[in-house]
Amino acid sequence: MADFKNAIELKNVNFSTDDLHIIKNVSGAFPEGKITTLVGPSGAGKSTLFKLLNGLRTVDSGEIIIHGKNINTYPPVDLRRHVGLALQSAPMINGTVYKNIALPLTLNGKELTEETAKELLHLVGLEEELIQRKTKDLSGGQRQKLSIARTLVNRPKILLLDEITSSLDRISQQDIEELIVRINEKYETTIIWITHNLEQALNLGHYTWFLKAGELIESGPIDVLKNPTNEEIIQFVKGEAQ
Ligand SMILES: Nc1ncnc2c1ncn2[C@@H]1O[C@H](COP(=O)(O)OP(=O)(O)OP(=O)(O)O)[C@@H](O)[C@H]1O
Ligand SMILES: [Mg+2]
């Protein structure tokens, strides 16, 4: 830990909904400029943790520190700009690629120039001719690239990825993996990547978090997952390999 600066730190974070204690006293950190893979069984609280990290939910107790400042000190719009979120479902509004890519700005009464839109498409490996295409006519892989491009409009310093490749074929999956690594290297973006694909978690993560039933069981360099010594991680890895 000591040799990393942290983009995000959590201190004794708790979160519940209804009668369910979802995030249980989680303390840990996500190192700056690295790719951290966030793994754990279904229902562990991974997606809920993301909602806490980009302000869609608020902690019941404990603290979330983002780049040295308590998350509550960021105005909501600034926080969403700073911490981008991309989801498996890549939700789109009806209309063109351009309309969707510009959405984070148009929602705030601003405009995205066609030139910048094309640069973003280029960055994620989409042809600029697609700019006037209706999003309903895109393939799954193209939609996911567009979703990432849209998240990048605000140049987030931290990017949260929630199972963004799980519905894609292998080629599109590799495309997206290469894209994320490129973004991480080019902009030094801190990436936190939820994935059920253990091979992906091992290949792409510099660092890892293992969450189970709302508890952070272990976090550390990727070796924690590659050569696990923790019994719960050993069981998880065995289960995933079957
Ligand atoms: N809005 C909500 N109201 C009540 N319970 C919720 C809500 N959102 C999530 N939960 C519950 O919280 C727990 C954690 O859910 P979460 O979606 O964070 O898990 P996850 O680790 O992302 O799982 P998966 O790998 O299946 O996506 C689950 O038991 C889920 O049913
Ligand atoms: Mg989830």
Side-chain angles (χ1 to χ4, degrees):
M1 275 308 261
D3 45 345
F4 294 128
K5 250 176 85 185
N6 293 322
I8 301 183
E9 282 179 61
L10 287 85
K11 294 180 188 167
N12 305 107
V13 169
N14 284 284
F15 177 75
S16 306
T17 50
D18 303 331
D19 296 330
L20 196 61
H21 193 176
I22 302 180
I23 300 292
K24 297 175 187 154
N25 216 36
V26 168
S27 296
F30 294 101
E32 179 153 10
K34 306 284 178 198
I35 300 178
T36 300
T37 45
L38 173 50
V39 298
S42 189
K46 303 180 297 294
S47 299
T48 305
L49 187 67
F50 273 9
K51 289 182 184 147
L52 293 171
L53 295 182
N54 95 331
L56 291 169
R57 300 279 185 277
T58 312
V59 300
D60 297 332
S61 65
E63 258 187 290
I64 298 177
I65 314 284
I66 300 199
H67 285 131
K69 291 199 303 183
N70 189 295
I71 195 167
N72 302 326
T73 65
Y74 288 83
V77 174
D78 290 0
L79 183 65
R80 306 266 155 79
R81 268 194 211 134
H82 199 80
V83 185
L85 174 64
L87 302 169
Q88 176 184 1
S89 56
M92 297 287 156
I93 54 167
N94 277 335
T96 60
V97 165
Y98 176 75
K99 192 171 169 189
N100 273 275
I101 203 170
L103 195 63
L105 294 183
T106 46
L107 283 175
N108 288 306
K110 296 190 192 135
E111 272 183 49
L112 181 75
T113 64
E114 193 166 313
E115 196 189 337
T116 310
K118 284 180 177 171
E119 277 170 24
L120 283 161
L121 291 181
H122 183 72
L123 174 69
V124 299
L126 288 174
E127 293 130 41
E128 56 179 67
E129 290 76 36
L130 288 177
I131 196 158
Q132 292 306 335
R133 181 85 55 90
K134 295 272 195 291
T135 50
K136 66 178 171 50
D137 299 328
L138 297 179
S139 72
Q142 286 171 328
R143 281 173 74 90
Q144 201 49 271
K145 286 178 187 169
L146 173 58
S147 165
I148 293 165
R150 187 172 60 185
T151 309
L152 293 176
V153 165
N154 289 319
R155 300 268 179 238
K157 295 299 291 170
I158 298 169
L159 198 50
L160 311 177
L161 309 173
D162 195 345
E163 296 190 44
I164 56 167
T165 64
S166 48
S167 63
L168 302 180
D169 63 75
R170 198 163 175 81
I171 300 292
S172 303
Q173 181 186 319
Q174 282 171 356
D175 257 16
I176 301 276
E177 289 174 354
E178 283 167 18
L179 164 62
I180 297 300
V181 169
R182 212 157 62 230
I183 291 167
N184 168 248
E185 289 173 353
K186 188 168 175 184
Y187 302 109
E188 298 179 350
T189 309
T190 301
I191 312 272
I192 309 175
W193 196 334
I194 295 176
T195 177
H196 277 280
N197 179 337
L198 206 55
E199 195 189 331
Q200 188 174 59
L202 289 172
N203 285 341
L204 301 174
H206 305 119
Y207 204 82
T208 201
W209 269 45
F210 180 76
L211 209 63
K212 186 180 173 187
E215 290 183 58
L216 178 58
I217 304 295
E218 190 152 37
S219 65
I222 197 68
D223 215 46
V224 162
L225 198 60
K226 208 169 259 172
N227 299 300
T229 51
N230 181 296
E231 192 53 38
E232 302 205 60
I233 301 183
I234 291 171
Q235 290 308 323
F236 174 75
V237 170
K238 261 191 205 156
E240 293 289 305
Q242 276 163 14

